[in-house]
């Protein structure tokens, strides 16, 4: 599924767009958990907000980051995502709420 | 002598807000060499965890990567405080990370287990207050 579909489902704001198409999701905040378990070409839901989040996405081949619970991305996270062509979305929904919506798509 | 591409990085010990640059460079290099994405993923994950560990636990260090026809070798060495009990450190969930480090998302105690899981061979040599050297190998299949 694409970013438009994800954004609509969780009422998200698209901070950094891309033409990524993903089929799998992962949820988590501890970076080494995400690193070891997130599938590649996936969408990652988190509340963690710093530039290392983009670094992990690059190395683990995560294509879309969704910051939940109304977290507003720090500037260096946003610019890093732009630079690396990683999509960045924000939603006011909790990680659980967003997961349920996305899981039902 | 066996053909090999060697990469060398100095990993800054202060920069834990944006670490992983050496791993990202290795990833780019492997990609440009046409190495398979499965192998790149293993190397990227294992090296990132080791690189972060040098930054957050050892005040930085040196990363050397050798790309051979049949394997990739990664050597990470630091002059940090060393690991007192390697067996314990290898356990999932064991971490001595501070609260400040945890707030950045590190400290799950999964770094060393990930390194083990994603490499074909890994050895740790460590001496208290002298430093740590971790050698990893990922086979190109
Ligand atoms: N290079 C190193 N120098 C000194 N101690 C280290 C080094 N690497 C790891 N350690 C020790 O081993 C422990 C476990 O490392 P590991 O990478 O598994 O977890 P972590 O770094 O604490 O958390 P995570 O990797 O999940 O963010 C660390 O908390 C630290 O005490
Ligand atoms: Mg670690």
């Amino acid at each position: 599924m694409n970013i438009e579909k994800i954004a609509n489902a969780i009422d998200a704001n698209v901070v950094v767009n891309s033409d990524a198409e993903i089929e799998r999701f992962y949820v988590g905040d501890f970076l080494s958990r995400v690193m070891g378990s997130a599938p590649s070409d996936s969408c990652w839901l988190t509340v963690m907000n710093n530039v290392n989040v983009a670094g992990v996405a690059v190395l683990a081949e995560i294509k879309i980051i969704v910051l939940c619970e109304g977290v507003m991305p720090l500037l260096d996270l946003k610019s890093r995502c732009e630079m690396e062509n990683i999509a960045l979305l924000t939603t006011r929904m909790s990680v659980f709420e967003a997961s349920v919506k996305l899981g039902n798509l | 002598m066996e053909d090999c591409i060697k990469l060398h990085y100095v990993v800054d010990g202060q920069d834990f807000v944006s670490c992983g640059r050496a791993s990202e460079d290795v990833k780019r290099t492997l990609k440009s060499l046409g190495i398979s994405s499965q192998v790149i993923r293993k190397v990227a994950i294992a090296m990132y965890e080791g690189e972060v560990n040098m930054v957050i636990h050892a005040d930085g260090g040196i990363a050397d990567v050798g790309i051979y026809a049949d394997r990739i070798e990664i050597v990470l060495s630091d002059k940090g405080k060393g690991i007192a009990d390697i067996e314990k450190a290898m356990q999932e969930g064991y971490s001595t990370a501070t609260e400040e480090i945890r707030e950045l998302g590190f400290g799950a105690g999964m770094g060393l287990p990930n390194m083990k899981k994603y490499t074909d061979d890994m050895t740790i040599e460590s001496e208290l207050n002298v430093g740590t050297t971790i050698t990893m190998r990922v086979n190109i299949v």
Side-chain angles (χ1 to χ4, degrees), chain B residues 49 52-53 56-57 110-112:
Chain B
E49 295 290 7
V52 169
N53 278 355
I56 65 179
H57 303 299
M110 288 302 294
L112 289 171

Side-chain angles (χ1 to χ4, degrees), chain A residues 30-33, chain B residues 49-50 52-58 78 80-85 88-97 101-102 105-115 126 131-132 134:
Chain A
F30 268 124
L31 300 180
S32 62
R33 280 272 168 205
Chain B
E49 295 290 7
V52 169
N53 278 355
M54 289 201 299
V55 176
I56 65 179
H57 303 299
D78 66 63
K81 58 184 184 296
I83 303 173
D85 185 340
K88 205 166 165 187
M90 285 299 300
Q91 286 171 10
E92 293 189 3
Y94 177 81
S95 175
T96 60
I101 296 292
R102 279 171 207 265
F106 302 114
M110 288 302 294
L112 289 171
N114 279 347
M115 289 156 74
S126 190
T132 301
I134 299 186

Side-chain angles (χ1 to χ4, degrees), chain B residues 14 111 122 128 130:
Chain B
Q14 304 307 313
M122 169 172 156
L128 272 186
V130 176

Side-chain angles (χ1 to χ4, degrees), chain B residues 38-112:
Chain B
Q38 293 97 308
V39 170
I40 294 178
R41 185 175 161 79
K42 287 175 164 182
V43 171
I45 292 173
M47 180 161 167
Y48 177 79
E49 295 290 7
E51 185 181 351
V52 169
N53 278 355
M54 289 201 299
V55 176
I56 65 179
H57 303 299
D59 206 21
I62 302 288
D64 281 292
V65 178
I67 307 165
Y68 299 82
D70 63 343
R71 68 192 186 280
I72 292 151
E73 285 179 2
I74 306 158
V75 182
L76 303 167
S77 61
D78 66 63
K79 294 186 162 56
K81 58 184 184 296
I83 303 173
D85 185 340
I86 293 176
E87 207 177 306
K88 205 166 165 187
M90 285 299 300
Q91 286 171 10
E92 293 189 3
Y94 177 81
S95 175
T96 60
T98 60
E99 194 51 42
E100 186 194 5
I101 296 292
R102 279 171 207 265
E103 276 167 18
L104 288 170
F106 302 114
M110 288 302 294
L112 289 171

Side-chain angles (χ1 to χ4, degrees), chain A residues 11-86:
Chain A
D11 197 15
N13 176 32
V14 180
V15 180
V16 179
N17 208 345
S18 83
D19 57 6
E21 288 273 348
I22 61 98
E23 297 304 328
R24 294 184 289 182
F25 294 89
Y26 190 80
V27 167
D29 300 319
F30 268 124
L31 300 180
S32 62
R33 280 272 168 205
V34 178
M35 199 63 153
S37 302
S40 50
D41 298 318
S42 59
C43 171
W44 170 22
L45 283 74
T46 186
V47 294
M48 197 50 77
N49 182 16
N50 66 63
V51 70
N52 292 311
V53 168
V56 166
V58 170
L59 290 164
E61 308 263 335
I62 291 165
K63 303 294 184 214
I64 305 170
I65 297 165
V66 180
L67 293 184
C68 301
E69 319 233 345
V71 171
M72 282 298 141
L74 293 173
L75 191 60
D76 55 356
L77 172 58
K78 176 175 175 255
S79 34
R80 198 67 210 292
C81 286
E82 280 166 351
M83 213 167 81
E84 303 286 355
N85 191 32
I86 292 168

Side-chain angles (χ1 to χ4, degrees), chain B residues 6-38:
Chain B
K6 287 199 185 298
L7 305 170
H8 177 82
Y9 305 90
V10 176
V11 177
D12 180 359
Q14 304 307 313
D15 190 17
F16 52 76
V17 181
S18 99
C19 38
R21 295 309 171 109
S23 306
E24 284 162 30
D25 190 72
V26 169
K27 184 176 185 221
R28 266 192 300 275
T29 305
L30 295 177
K31 214 167 185 172
S32 73
L33 290 170
I35 307 278
S36 80
S37 55
Q38 293 97 308

